[in-house]
Amino acid sequence: MDSIPANRRLWNRISGDYQQRHDPQIGAAPRLWGMYSVPDAQLCALGDVSGTRVLELGCGAGQWSRALAAEGAQVVGLDLSEAQLAAAAAAMGPVRYPLVQGAAEQLPFAADSFDLVFCDFGGLSWAPPQLAVPQAARVLRRGGRLVFNVAGPWFEACYDEAAGRVTTTLQRDYFGLDAIAEGDGATSYQLTYGGWVRVLRGAGLVIDDLIEPRPSPTTPNGYNETDPPDWAHRWPAELLWVTHKP
């Protein structure tokens, strides 16, 4: 399924509103992961990036890329959407880094180009993982790492479309998540735990850690309504995978 054109149209259309609503949260401090803005200092997923060549898959307005570039990483920000890249260029600041338009399932980079490929609800949420993960592995140097955060399958399985919130009731089959319609023909993607393991191992990657970020009971979700409000303190809302290419 080629979701690239529809996903590009969606993000070009919603980019301005998305950044207006979410940039204050995403850009509040460097290295904040996911829907609950959990600090990387707490999760220890990325480590020191100074002097490393880094690719962000789905950089949006560049909040992560901007922070890592300021730490001394040689960052490249990739995004499918022209509007998102324009927002990243406008917000770049004094430390400059290249921005590239492209899709995670068709990376326009040579093999063995990066020490770290990462995303936070970016390309590995909006591209078929069976295509995007091998591409990420291809552009990694030996010893390089793929680190990415995506929604957990239980969060997706408990999302009540009619109510517009995540609940404690299963709404869809765990084994039937895969492609999720996002409107206007756009598609996001989800795998089971076992599905992620098979895709990562099939791309020749070694799984070093699976972090399930757990916010405090009072930490708000900046993107979705949940019932109960402390849903993610009680059940895993996100999966933060840490892998490397041997």
Side-chain angles (χ1 to χ4, degrees):
M1 177 181 180
D2 183 3
S3 55
I4 293 174
N7 286 357
R8 178 184 289 128
R9 288 193 299 270
L10 173 70
W11 279 102
N12 281 337
R13 179 174 61 81
I14 69 173
S15 173
D17 179 64
Y18 181 90
Q19 296 306 332
Q20 184 177 11
R21 292 173 58 194
H22 298 300
D23 185 70
Q25 176 185 351
I26 303 171
R31 292 179 176 244
L32 298 178
W33 285 106
M35 296 180 283
Y36 293 86
S37 296
V38 181
D40 187 61
Q42 177 182 328
L43 302 177
C44 301
L46 284 191
D48 182 14
V49 298
S50 177
T52 62
R53 185 158 169 79
V54 177
L55 172 64
E56 182 175 8
L57 292 179
C59 64
Q63 295 92 345
W64 267 99
S65 287
R66 190 164 65 245
L68 298 189
E71 295 177 19
Q74 302 167 37
V75 179
V76 176
L78 176 132
D79 204 277
L80 187 61
S81 160
E82 298 95 326
Q84 291 284 74
L85 291 172
M92 190 171 292
V95 181
R96 314 302 290 178
Y97 59 91
L99 296 169
V100 176
Q101 184 177 13
E105 57 265 59
Q106 299 173 359
L107 291 181
F109 305 107
D112 309 317
S113 294
F114 296 95
D115 302 300
L116 170 66
V117 176
F118 84 100
C119 63
D120 185 13
F121 281 83
L124 289 179
S125 296
W126 291 90
Q130 297 88 342
L131 301 178
V133 169
Q135 281 288 297
R138 179 184 65 82
V139 302
L140 277 175
R141 295 170 179 156
R142 189 172 299 277
R145 296 182 298 144
L146 173 64
V147 179
F148 63 96
N149 190 37
V150 293
W154 294 118
F155 193 84
E156 296 284 8
C158 290
Y159 189 81
D160 187 331
E161 292 282 354
R165 65 178 183 268
V166 180
T167 70
T168 57
T169 303
L170 291 172
Q171 303 291 333
R172 65 183 83 185
D173 292 350
Y174 173 79
F175 291 111
L177 291 170
D178 194 26
I180 300 171
E182 298 288 351
D184 296 335
T187 307
S188 64
Y189 296 88
Q190 178 59 267
L191 295 178
T192 63
Y193 287 90
W196 278 115
V197 169
R198 284 187 290 276
V199 166
L200 291 165
R201 287 174 55 86
L205 297 168
V206 174
I207 299 169
D208 299 308
D209 201 358
L210 170 56
I211 302 168
E212 297 168 298
R214 189 186 188 197
S216 70
T218 58
T219 302
N221 184 314
Y223 299 83
N224 297 281
E225 182 181 348
T226 63
D227 182 17
D230 65 346
W231 198 101
H233 182 74
R234 301 169 65 184
W235 299 285
E238 299 171 314
L239 307 180
L240 178 50
W241 293 92
V242 181
T243 75
H244 77 272
K245 180 177 180 177

